[in-house]
Amino acid sequence: MPEHFVEQLQYVQEVPRLQRSEPAPREVLEQPVNGKEPPDAAHLRRIRIDPTVLKDRPIVMPTETGPAAHAYRMMRTQLLQRMRQLRTARQQCIGVVGIVSAADREGKTLTAINLALSLAAEPNKTVLLVDLDLHRPSVASMLKLPVEHGLESWLNGWTSDVGRVIYPVDGFERLSILPTLARVAGSSEALAGVRAQSMLGELKEAESDRLLLLDLPPLLLTDDFLTIASFLDGVLVVAREGRTKREDLTRMRDILGSVTVLGTVLNHASEFERRAY
Amino acid sequence: MNQSSEDNDEKQSEAKLRDFIGAARRRRKSMLIALLAGVVTSVLLAAFLPPRYQSTGTILIEQQELPSDLVRSTVTSYADQRVQVISQRVMTTQNLLGIIRRYDLYPRQQSREPREKLIERMRGDIEFKMISADVVDPRSGAPRKATIAFTVSYRSPLPDTAAKIANELTTLYLNENLTERTRLAQDAYGFLQTEGDRLSTQIQDLESKLATFKQKHYDELPELAQVNMQQLDRTEQQLHDAEQRRVSLEQQQMFLQAQFSQMKPESAIYSDTGERIQSPADRLKALRAKLASVTALYAPDHPDVVRMKREVSGLEKQVGSSGPPITNDLHRALEEAQGELADAKKKYSADHPDVQRLERKVAQLESELAKTPGSGGKTDSPATASAAGAPADTAAGTVAGADGAAKVQTNTSAGATAPPDNPAYIQASAQLDALRNDLRAQDELIARLRAQTAEYQRKISLSPQVEKEYHELTRDYDSGQLKYREIRAKQMEAQVAQNLESDRKGERFTLIEPPLPPEDPVSPNRPLILIGGLLLSVALAIGLAALLEATDATVRDRRDITGAFNVPMLAIVPRIITAADVALRRRRVAYTLATLLIAGLLSITAVHLFYRPLDVLWFTAMRRLGI
């Protein structure tokens, strides 16, 4: 690959995403479904998260110190532990975790993102964060992702290759994101459709080492959960202190039914571990 | 076992404590706001509540000086009862309104509020309290509370007003008490006076009734009953005597009459041989008697019978009248014959010749008797005049007397041709006349006495009835008198009681503590308001926090989640503060402060312009707080 061409690509990537047109290199490069790139083209596709995001959004980098970062680290470790336990118990691969909450604005997407970042810092683990909240997709907006196409494009038929909307993240080798950039009408039908179902199945089967983190829509406010429940190996329940109603928790439990709850997370806690070590 | 349960309890109490602390932390903002609001309010109240001054007057209830055995007062209720009554009289709408108008109290409310509210306000500012002491009732020995004094106070924003009104009220109380007492005493006196007068007229009435009664029934009065009885006895005695005398007179008369009838007005002529020559009347009488017996024996046509009849009629012509002297003889003969006839009828039948003969005799005698004038059937024997003095006897007596007189007259008429010259005859005649007069007089006396007796008896019989009526009248009169005396005595007592009141020797109210203008306000208790306000604010804050906690249905604690999902908590993530958040908060705080400042300035300006200038408020507050 000619150097100047690479530089051009880099420059192009740094232009604000709205002004960008379809990057030609995408079509040039071969894109396997599971997002594995040829090493030489990998850095071409990696998206960079805007550094200002850190200031404005409560995104927690794994390298940070502080109680929040610590909490996410704990979360990561505990989750992996639980997954290992489950694997031992079920004697099967556990790789698909859904992040759920009862209602909106409870920190579900934030948890998903931060957890994904934290997990990606763990060696031996690759993470694919999928924004499956087709009603109000917020992963891309939260991270201010400089991309133009996401899952909605794939659903609409812009491309038949879902790999084209899976983006690796710059600075996090093991993290990829499958965002949704726009609201998808009839989401539960779309998800229930054959295409989506087979896509999800493929995603699941593709890599045994890869952890799929699915940011799911609010359990009590939508009915999408049931369409993808069969794919989940487990869920992570997210609640926010002062916002999640106590009875919502019980209702969630009822809806979750037989799906394994790997663990729970409490956001906006007033009591948390402040001690530093 | 025990230990674990103890641990559990400990854990539980720990948990509870943690809950409280967590809740407090969560709600600290609201609690702070509530606390602040409460504190500010109490400070403002403590600083700016207007003071109220209270002026009190104390009135002592002094007992009657003179012992009540000496002089009894007409006022007989308990002291506290009276004080309450006086209180009611003083606190009338009229009085209070008068005071309000006179001293221009509540100037702001006078025009706006209705009268009833003004009065209510005034009543609220007046305080009336009784002061009692523990005494031991001397009679029963039981401890009792006796009212010895009472206080009247008035509350007002100005000390001078408070004193003035309190004075006004105490004066009202004292005056009311006085008027009440004098009125009571006067009423008692007046009442007794009227009663006394009424009784007096009643008694006069009774007196006149009694007098008329006495007059009407003078003799029948029970007082004279004794006298009447005595009179009756005497009269009866007199009557008895009179009747007795009459009887003897009658007897004399009869005796004399009998003698007289035997006498002839002329002296008896004796023949040479000494035989008395019979007068033709005597001869006639003898012949009649003989005729009667002969008629009985023989038939009417017997020559003896015929001869005798011729002789009798000849003599009758000589004598003049058939004369009643024979009547008695005839009667006797008739009776005799009738008796004989009855016997014969018993023995024999009607055909028997004896019976027939006797029947003929009876018939003859009856016809003879019928022929003689002046005989009206049988006459009773006039000789018995009973001492009882019955009127029937009197009549018989008079008839007998008349018979006697007739007898005398016959005798007189028999010898009418010649004046009586028989001295015995004359004497007897005179005696008879005298006796007759006596008898008449006696009869009159008896009659009079009888009338008197009857009168006395009548009086005596009426006596019980009269007595009853008399006693009734006297009884009414006496009781009336008694009552009257009583009333008059009581009236005099009431007069004394009146004097007791007017001289102020009875129970009286004395003002021992006149109402003075107070130096310190009685309310509000500013330190108390401050402290109380503070405590209340704390309570309010806690209450608010509790309320918020209770109504909060959201997740507050990890336990809420672990309670719902039986899986371990993966992490507890704190609120992540971004730089943006910080900036936002700063902005918000700035905005809030700015708004508060502007609002504060505006309100202060408003207060300064529309309520009171600020420097005045400042000085007021300083004064109120005592600086």
Side-chain angles (χ1 to χ4, degrees), chain B residues 106-156:
Chain B
Y106 315 114
R108 274 191 310 242
Q109 288 89 344
Q110 259 192 45
S111 49
R112 260 183 280 147
E113 285 180 1
R115 208 173 42 201
E116 292 80 16
K117 280 211 81 167
L118 273 181
I119 300 291
E120 277 307 305
R121 213 178 260 272
M122 179 109 188
R123 287 224 175 96
D125 286 338
I126 297 175
E127 192 182 311
F128 168 81
K129 243 190 317 195
M130 309 276 270
I131 301 176
S132 349
D134 288 322
V135 298
V136 175
D137 191 348
R139 262 167 295 173
S140 60
R144 185 165 73 86
K145 263 198 172 331
T147 307
I148 54 169
F150 62 94
T151 60
V152 177
S153 341
Y154 184 73
R155 245 189 296 244
S156 168

Side-chain angles (χ1 to χ4, degrees), chain A:
Chain A
M1 190 106 350
E3 291 285 342
H4 73 279
F5 199 46
V6 169
E7 282 168 14
Q8 247 185 344
L9 279 176
Q10 278 184 335
Y11 169 76
V12 161
Q13 278 175 348
E14 277 165 55
V15 163
R17 65 184 183 282
L18 291 171
Q19 294 170 359
R20 284 186 52 195
S21 56
E22 173 67 19
R26 284 245 180 98
E27 296 191 51
V28 168
L29 296 167
E30 287 291 305
Q31 299 196 37
V33 169
N34 54 6
K36 254 211 172 120
E37 311 283 5
D40 51 345
H43 70 278
L44 290 175
R45 290 193 60 238
R46 283 188 180 275
I47 49 176
R48 260 184 87 195
I49 298 172
D50 193 343
T52 60
V53 159
L54 291 175
K55 266 200 298 174
D56 301 338
R57 312 284 158 85
I59 309 289
V60 176
M61 288 295 159
T63 48
E64 280 181 32
T65 55
H70 173 72
Y72 282 114
R73 271 196 288 278
M74 288 297 291
M75 199 191 300
R76 163 189 76 193
T77 316
Q78 298 272 16
L79 180 62
L80 290 172
Q81 168 115 14
R82 284 281 290 151
M83 285 166 67
R84 270 198 290 277
Q85 283 174 352
L86 211 56
R87 188 180 318 174
T88 321
R90 287 195 198 164
Q91 288 299 314
Q92 65 184 77
C93 248
I94 305 294
V96 183
V97 176
I99 319 278
V100 295
S101 74
D104 61 332
R105 303 192 60 76
E106 289 179 7
K108 169 178 52 64
T109 306
L110 181 66
T111 309
I113 292 170
N114 286 336
L115 183 59
L117 290 172
S118 196
L119 279 166
E122 179 100 352
N124 313 322
K125 269 284 175 211
T126 46
V127 182
L128 172 59
L129 174 64
V130 183
D131 190 356
L132 272 184
D133 187 352
L134 303 181
H135 295 265
R136 271 196 221 161
S138 38
V139 172
S141 48
M142 178 79 79
L143 287 171
K144 276 206 214 167
L145 291 180
V147 297
E148 282 177 5
H149 293 278
L151 188 56
E152 84 284 357
S153 307
W154 182 82
L155 284 170
N156 292 337
W158 172 76
T159 177
S160 55
D161 179 16
V162 76
R164 288 189 67 177
V165 288
I166 295 179
Y167 305 97
V169 176
D170 186 26
F172 296 86
E173 295 164 21
R174 291 175 285 278
L175 177 63
S176 311
I177 301 179
L178 171 53
T180 308
L181 299 177
R183 197 177 128 77
V184 176
S187 57
S188 54
E189 290 82 11
L191 283 176
V194 173
R195 245 179 116 217
Q197 294 280 318
S198 61
M199 181 270 285
L200 285 170
E202 280 171 18
L203 280 179
K204 182 172 175 177
E205 300 303 325
E207 262 178 68
S208 55
D209 247 3
R210 187 169 66 177
L211 180 60
L212 231 59
L213 273 182
L214 308 178
D215 183 14
L216 298 172
L219 219 55
L220 303 181
L221 305 181
T222 60
D223 57 349
D224 296 2
F225 178 76
L226 297 167
T227 53
I228 52 159
S230 49
F231 288 104
L232 299 173
D233 290 326
V235 291
L236 193 67
V237 174
V238 174
R240 178 169 149 181
E241 180 179 301
R243 190 169 167 94
T244 311
K245 296 210 190 346
R246 287 198 288 277
E247 59 182 20
D248 288 349
L249 295 176
T250 31
R251 280 169 66 195
M252 253 204 300
R253 193 180 57 203
D254 296 335
I255 291 179
L256 285 171
S258 54
V259 178
T260 315
V261 177
L262 293 167
T264 50
V265 173
L266 181 63
N267 276 333
H268 269 234
S270 50
E271 283 177 36
F272 52 88
E273 191 55 71
R274 292 170 213 272
R275 294 174 291 192
Y277 189 62

Side-chain angles (χ1 to χ4, degrees), chain B residues 367-388:
Chain B
S367 64
E368 291 280 320
L369 206 57
K371 272 191 266 178
T372 62
S375 69
K378 282 199 191 160
T379 56
D380 288 342
S381 175
T384 53
S386 70

